[in-house]
Amino acid sequence: MNYPKRVIKKGETSKPIVKALQQRLIECNCGPVDDPGVFATKTEQAVKLFQSLHRDMNGNPLTIDGKVGAFTWETLFGVESVTTNSVPSTDLLTKVLEIARQEIGVTEDPLGTNRGPKVDQYLASVGLNPGFFWCMAFVYWVFNESAKQLSRKNPMVKTGGVLREWNETSAKKIITADAIDNPALIKPGHVFIMDHGGGKGHTGIVTSVEGGSIRTIEGNSNTTGSRNGIAVVEMVRKINSIKKGFIEFK
């Protein structure tokens, strides 16, 4: 059964969904459950038991909250039951992913300085001198190069500020809460926006959506997901870790 594009929890009114969930929980030796089609205390406890005994498809522990979101659903019913999307929806986003992939492995020189031949180019594209944080500059540069090759206008706000991009863009925005409920809202080529507080943030480009996770290419990062790392890297992040949302440029 496919993920219903919302978190299933205590009080759920769709009996077919609850029945399918209860049947799968029993098959996994996680019971007892409530009467068929009723998501009440017993079913909630059965979900918590399942969550305590299993990890998601990336090997991470499930959150033990008794709610069936994309990660728990995927673990129960298989990866094919939840959105998997790796195909960009427009020519621009296809070109964005092509160019972004060519930049993977670019590193600062010297390391830890927010500088280097390519890093300086990223920063210059938004009018910044070498030495500034460059994750948003990288994203802007990728979109700018893509737009040039397609002889069209770059749809992004010209800025090196992550939160300024979010606040000033006229493009469609998807808040994280909606994306958690329905991962299908996120598409390859979308730009994720993280808000770390105090005006600080981090960003990158989504390359694919796999259940409750996204794969990304991001600059000024590293394999631990730092917001001030040293390279352009590929990452896997949980959708619920993106503490702001996603922007859909066209």
Side-chain angles (χ1 to χ4, degrees):
M1 187 172 189
N2 290 333
Y3 182 61
K5 299 182 180 180
R6 66 179 187 279
V7 175
I8 306 303
K9 57 187 177 181
K10 192 174 182 178
E12 171 63 41
T13 58
S14 173
K15 290 185 178 295
I17 290 174
V18 176
K19 285 180 180 179
L21 173 61
Q22 290 171 324
Q23 180 180 343
R24 187 70 188 116
L25 287 167
I26 294 302
E27 290 171 354
C28 294
N29 297 314
C30 292
V33 296
D34 301 292
D35 293 337
V38 177
F39 197 136
T41 301
K42 289 181 180 178
T43 302
E44 183 180 57
Q45 292 300 317
V47 171
K48 287 182 178 179
L49 176 59
F50 178 85
Q51 291 169 328
S52 71
L53 295 173
H54 294 82
R55 292 175 173 264
D56 66 26
M57 297 301 179
N58 295 314
N60 300 310
L62 294 170
T63 300
I64 305 172
D65 59 4
K67 301 175 183 179
V68 184
F71 280 113
T72 298
W73 189 279
E74 180 183 52
T75 309
L76 274 162
F77 291 96
V79 66
E80 68 281 353
S81 68
V82 182
T83 298
T84 299
N85 191 343
S86 59
V87 181
S89 58
T90 68
D91 289 345
L92 175 64
L93 299 185
T94 298
K95 181 60 69 173
V96 161
L97 295 188
E98 176 189 325
I99 290 178
R101 289 188 174 105
Q102 293 171 0
E103 301 302 298
I104 293 170
V106 168
T107 57
E108 297 174 357
D109 184 15
L111 299 180
T113 62
N114 290 327
R115 321 190 42 153
K118 289 304 294 277
V119 174
D120 292 353
Q121 288 182 33
Y122 305 151
L123 288 166
S125 73
V126 293
L128 290 175
N129 293 325
F132 284 89
F133 289 180
W134 51 278
C135 61
M136 179 52 76
F138 165 72
V139 173
Y140 182 87
W141 180 89
V142 169
F143 270 82
N144 208 44
E145 292 300 307
S146 301
K148 287 179 184 177
Q149 292 190 23
L150 296 174
S151 300
R152 54 159 294 176
K153 182 180 178 181
N154 185 351
M156 294 187 68
V157 175
K158 184 177 180 178
T159 179
V162 174
L163 299 181
R164 182 184 170 194
E165 187 72 48
W166 176 266
N167 292 332
E168 296 186 10
T169 185
S170 60
K172 179 181 178 181
K173 292 187 280 191
I174 302 161
I175 63 172
T176 298
D178 291 340
I180 291 171
D181 284 350
N182 183 9
L185 293 173
I186 311 170
K187 302 291 192 296
H190 283 190
V191 174
F192 73 82
I193 302 291
M194 302 177 76
D195 185 350
H196 295 297
K200 299 176 181 178
H202 184 62
T203 189
I205 301 167
V206 176
T207 60
S208 66
V209 185
E210 301 170 3
S213 297
I214 55 172
R215 292 186 180 274
T216 68
I217 298 173
E218 47 198 79
N220 211 175
S221 191
N222 55 32
T223 54
T224 63
S226 170
R227 61 173 293 272
N228 187 26
I230 60 172
V232 178
V233 299
E234 292 184 282
M235 285 286 299
V236 177
R237 294 183 181 272
K238 291 184 177 182
I239 292 172
N240 62 12
S241 74
I242 307 301
K243 302 301 183 183
K244 198 68 173 181
F246 302 82
I247 306 175
E248 180 180 359
F249 294 107
K250 294 183 179 179

